[in-house]
Amino acid sequence: MTGSFPKTKEEVLKYVKDNNVYFIEIWFTDILGYLKSFTITAHELEKAFEEGLGFDGSSVRGFTRIEESDMIAFPEPETFTILPWRPKDKKVARMFATILEPNGKPFEGDPRNVLRRMLAKAKELGFTYYVGPELEYFYLKAPSSNPEVLDWGGYFDLIPRDEAIDLRHQTVSILEEMGIEVEFTHHEVAPSQHEIDFRYKDALTMADIVMTARLAVKEVAYLNGVYATFMPKPLFGQNGSGMHVHMSLFKNGKNAFFDPNDKYHLSDTAKHFIAGLLKHAKEITLITNQWVNSYKRLVPGYEAPVYISWAMRNRSDLIRVPMYKPGKEEATRIEYRAPDPACNPYLAFAVILAAGLEGIEKKYPLPEPIEENVYHMTEEERRKRGIESLPGSLIEAIEITEKSELVRKALGDHVFTNFIENKKIEWDNYRRQVTTYELETYLPVL
């Protein structure tokens, strides 16, 4: 049974008083999607709702320069939930916060505010943006340079005495206690790789859910003496972890992607949205795949999308349209397969939406679907079909995104500039490293 929690300030205050809630954690994220938190006691909560909570943002990545560091966090009551893994005698709750400047203006460096701005643009066009991600991750015995897996299962495998099954079940139970609806969970393709899929929600709620789920998965693993990671490619020679994002736009309570008379059951709105994603896929990849390690997943041969194409059923394409089921018009959706689970979901959902909306506004034409396996085509065949590739490295993605007006507008100048700067530092640090691979390959022969 999914937990139910208060949604208004008055309801939260009453719930806290009536249910022995002692601590409230206030959550927000930096521009890279690292979860940040500070804690107040219950008797400070009413004041926090009225005045906000002041803090120094100068040490938060991408937030502000040292000379303008004061920030105010306002708790959002509709995000209130109890943290089930914390003590039961003095309960601990959490709420996400909206970050404001001292003058009351929404802080442009807050990733939640970035997504809010894009959702407001969609609303101006009459749309509500819904997403349902598939969150993949690995369980490992410990974080190390030589990771050990917990199991050698494969896709959908049910393995006798597989301890990871219990970990998944515990995680789902905790998420549902927190009011998060899980559609299903299963073993993924790689050893010790698992997946949790969420029932679709509006994009802001879902970004909060992704942040919460990543922490919950790690907490359950920790309590069981193992480690969970959302690193895109932790194991050499195995599939990496993705975060396929299913999405749709609703208008006037109906799915704007559905057309009963189209041969694909896709409306013009859906087709233009897909075309926008295809056109801007290279530009947004830095945001949906933001780490050096992300590009070790985005290589041919491991089920990760590399080529920019779409199809109805083909899982080698960047964008897949799941099969239409009669009577399930509201389930008509597209699946964008590039993102990985280590991205900042607020920024990722924002740039995906920006690309799709531009396709709608400018009525981009949709090319024909590619139903053949793109991996099996020669480079010449792909060139003739006009099939391009996603960036192959972090630096290539940086160079493409740095020129993107679409991404700059979607993120705002503050986040755009700080994000690019941070990624350049990451790449510079990475390229200076001498890796184990280099030592093992070159020391014996050079």
Side-chain angles (χ1 to χ4, degrees), residues 7 12 43 134 171 189 233 268 287 377:
K7 299 297 182 186
V12 168
H43 59 265
E134 302 173 356
T171 303
V189 172
K233 185 80 167 185
D268 287 342
I287 312 302
M377 293 181 184

Side-chain angles (χ1 to χ4, degrees), residues 127-146:
F127 297 121
T128 303
Y129 179 50
Y130 289 103
V131 295
E134 302 173 356
L135 203 60
E136 297 176 353
Y137 60 94
F138 283 82
Y139 288 122
L140 303 172
K141 291 184 179 179
S144 72
S145 59
N146 186 27

Side-chain angles (χ1 to χ4, degrees), residues 208-222:
D208 290 344
I209 287 173
V210 170
M211 296 304 304
T212 304
R214 292 200 305 214
L215 181 62
V217 167
K218 286 180 171 286
E219 288 283 357
V220 170
Y222 173 78

Side-chain angles (χ1 to χ4, degrees), residues 151-159 186-193:
D151 66 68
W152 291 95
Y155 194 59
F156 273 37
D157 277 357
L158 178 62
I159 311 165
H186 61 84
H187 200 292
E188 254 297 335
V189 172
S192 216
Q193 186 185 33

